[in-house]
Amino acid sequence: MIKFLDLKAVNAQYEQELKDACSRVIDSGWFIMGSELSNFETEFADFCGVKHAIGVANGLDALILSIRAWKALGKLNAGDEVIVQANTYIASILAITDNDLIPVFVEPNPVTYNLDAVTVRQAISSKTKLILPVHLYGQISPMPELMNLAEEFELLVLEDCAQSHGAELNGKRAGSWGNAAGFSFYPGKNLGAIGDAGAITTDDDIFAETVKALRNYGSHKRYENIYRGVNSRLDEIQAAMLRVKLNFLPKETLRRQEIASKYMANIKNSLICLPTRSIELSHVWHLFVIRCVKRDELQEFLNAEGIQTIIHYPIPPHKQKAYSEFNVLNLPLTETLHREVLSIPLDPTMTEISVDTVIEALNRFTI
């Protein structure tokens, strides 16, 4: 079986470094809010090109706490509207509704599947206060256009960077465009921890200090609580693991780009729609997502060929039972994408033989 992503093989490349980092934390006797976290925050901020990175427990918390910080600072209020692409993972929407804000679903760009500045402009109302672009699959949204809209209408911008670690546009990396950004370091991400982990990036000093308090029971100083906060701290073990893996992220990204380029050049089946990349070097290929009208049949065929695939995602958020109030929405492009998309293996440890096997199988698929 060609695995969709072989995490055991990915982490085995750096086994000794990871074990050494883990031992370093254990030997230190300090497991929460220590030097591993502060060093990772500095290193990740430098990587993204921002002033601040704040480690939190997971990617969902990164989004939730970013919005919550703006509420604490009086920049957002319950009932405000947030424009977000409809074809995202439900975490993007959970972060909005958990803060008593209202998601306004818009259709994505039909070529990139990312947020489209045209549909965003059409959706802006007097209640709109925030734009939440999700950099799907590893490619940055049209941030110059979105930031221009934000400036024109005095809106905040929160980047969802869960799939775009290191992606660039015009020399600026994901996480450095908006007022803030949320990252996930779930194990399967391009920069993945050995468990759950996340971070928020920003250039805003006051926002950063507010998030730091909110993640730690609402406290700037021990036993003094300014806000009704939460416990969402990136622990020392995960910070140490991420410090190791951050060093190797550029090499793994290059390998992802090599595999994606080979897929793009050699998959030639009229039944399969390949992804579109706006700027090749900006795309970090967290996922290689193809489309096929006969998606389920294609997935069954590839499984029979020993090739593991995943659907990202089978049901859009506005059609989930959890959001029954939005079930009546008619978003035909989004719903078509969720019926047709299929993610094929793209693993930085894949051999050339495995890559060729995937290509050959896709080219043989017929209906």
Side-chain angles (χ1 to χ4, degrees):
M1 172 68 73
I2 297 175
K3 293 184 178 181
F4 175 76
L5 176 63
D6 190 343
L7 283 178
K8 186 174 181 180
V10 169
N11 291 323
Q13 300 174 103
Y14 323 118
E15 178 180 1
Q16 193 57 55
E17 292 94 332
L18 292 170
K19 288 181 177 178
D20 289 345
C22 188
S23 295
R24 185 171 68 242
V25 174
I26 294 171
D27 292 343
S28 76
W30 195 295
F31 307 114
I32 300 290
M33 304 285 281
S35 61
E36 294 294 341
L37 174 60
S38 60
N39 286 333
F40 172 70
E41 289 175 331
T42 298
E43 291 157 8
F44 192 66
D46 289 344
F47 175 81
C48 294
V50 295
K51 290 171 65 177
H52 304 282
I54 304 102
V56 295
N58 54 68
L60 176 57
D61 280 4
L63 297 176
I64 289 175
L65 291 177
S66 294
I67 297 174
R68 190 165 176 178
W70 282 321
K71 289 183 71 178
L73 292 169
K75 294 187 177 183
L76 291 174
N77 296 288
D80 287 343
E81 292 181 351
V82 182
I83 296 175
V84 61
Q85 66 224 61
N87 61 316
T88 185
Y89 183 55
I90 199 168
S92 309
I93 313 306
L94 289 169
I96 297 169
T97 58
D98 188 73
N99 281 289
D100 298 317
L101 274 63
I102 301 171
V104 176
F105 298 95
V106 296
E107 295 274 47
N109 182 285
V111 176
T112 65
Y113 312 145
N114 274 334
L115 199 57
D116 192 313
V118 174
T119 57
V120 170
R121 179 179 285 277
Q122 293 169 347
I124 293 173
S125 75
S126 60
K127 294 183 178 181
T128 306
K129 300 301 178 184
L130 174 64
I131 302 173
L132 204 166
V134 185
H135 307 320
L136 275 179
Y137 310 150
Q139 184 167 226
I140 294 184
S141 307
M143 294 308 298
E145 294 89 342
L146 294 175
M147 295 308 296
N148 286 340
L149 280 175
E151 182 177 2
E152 179 180 350
F153 292 95
E154 298 183 342
L155 307 175
L156 293 166
V157 176
L158 174 60
E159 298 174 70
D160 185 336
C161 298
Q163 300 186 6
S164 59
H165 311 74
E168 295 183 7
L169 179 60
N170 298 344
K172 284 174 62 68
R173 279 188 168 158
S176 68
W177 284 92
N179 302 93
F183 285 84
S184 168
F185 304 123
Y186 180 78
K189 303 299 185 183
N190 288 26
L191 178 59
I194 315 297
D196 269 325
I200 297 163
T201 58
T202 186
D203 282 323
D204 186 327
D205 297 339
I206 296 175
F207 172 88
E209 288 306 309
T210 305
V211 168
K212 287 178 180 178
L214 286 171
R215 74 173 175 183
N216 189 38
Y217 299 99
S219 175
H220 281 283
K221 183 179 179 181
R222 195 173 190 183
Y223 302 130
E224 294 182 14
N225 304 82
I226 301 173
Y227 310 108
R228 298 179 186 183
V230 298
N231 177 9
S232 181
R233 302 172 300 202
L234 176 59
D235 69 68
E236 289 289 279
I237 289 285
Q238 296 305 335
M241 301 296 99
L242 288 166
R243 292 185 69 198
V244 170
K245 298 185 77 174
L246 182 60
N247 290 325
F248 298 100
L249 181 58
K251 184 186 77 169
E252 290 202 358
T253 298
L254 181 60
R255 178 57 182 154
R256 288 177 177 275
Q257 291 169 338
E258 290 172 349
I259 295 169
S261 292
K262 192 166 185 178
Y263 280 160
M264 294 291 286
N266 294 284
I267 297 173
K268 300 182 184 297
N269 186 330
S270 60
L271 298 173
I272 294 170
C273 177
L274 295 174
T276 299
R277 48 190 174 190
S278 57
I279 301 175
E280 182 176 359
L281 292 180
S282 78
H283 205 315
V284 296
W285 298 103
H286 171 59
L287 301 172
F288 194 96
V289 181
I290 60 176
R291 288 174 60 187
C292 181
V293 173
K294 297 292 184 180
R295 189 267 310 282
D296 295 343
E297 290 88 339
L298 175 58
Q299 186 174 42
E300 290 176 6
F301 169 79
L302 291 173
N303 185 62
E305 294 286 321
I307 298 169
Q308 185 182 35
T309 59
I310 296 178
I311 299 171
H312 294 93
Y313 304 98
I315 305 172
H318 72 282
K319 294 297 185 184
Q320 297 283 357
K321 290 182 180 179
Y323 288 108
S324 58
E325 67 269 36
F326 298 115
N327 288 175
V328 297
L329 291 178
N330 180 32
L331 296 161
L333 174 57
T334 292
E335 290 157 26
T336 297
L337 289 175
H338 284 260
R339 285 194 303 270
E340 296 183 357
V341 293
L342 184 67
S343 301
I344 64 175
L346 204 165
D347 178 332
T349 67
M350 285 178 74
T351 65
E352 291 302 317
I353 292 174
S354 293
V355 175
D356 290 339
T357 299
V358 173
I359 293 169
E360 190 271 337
L362 286 167
N363 286 337
R364 278 195 291 109
F365 175 70
T366 59
I367 55 175

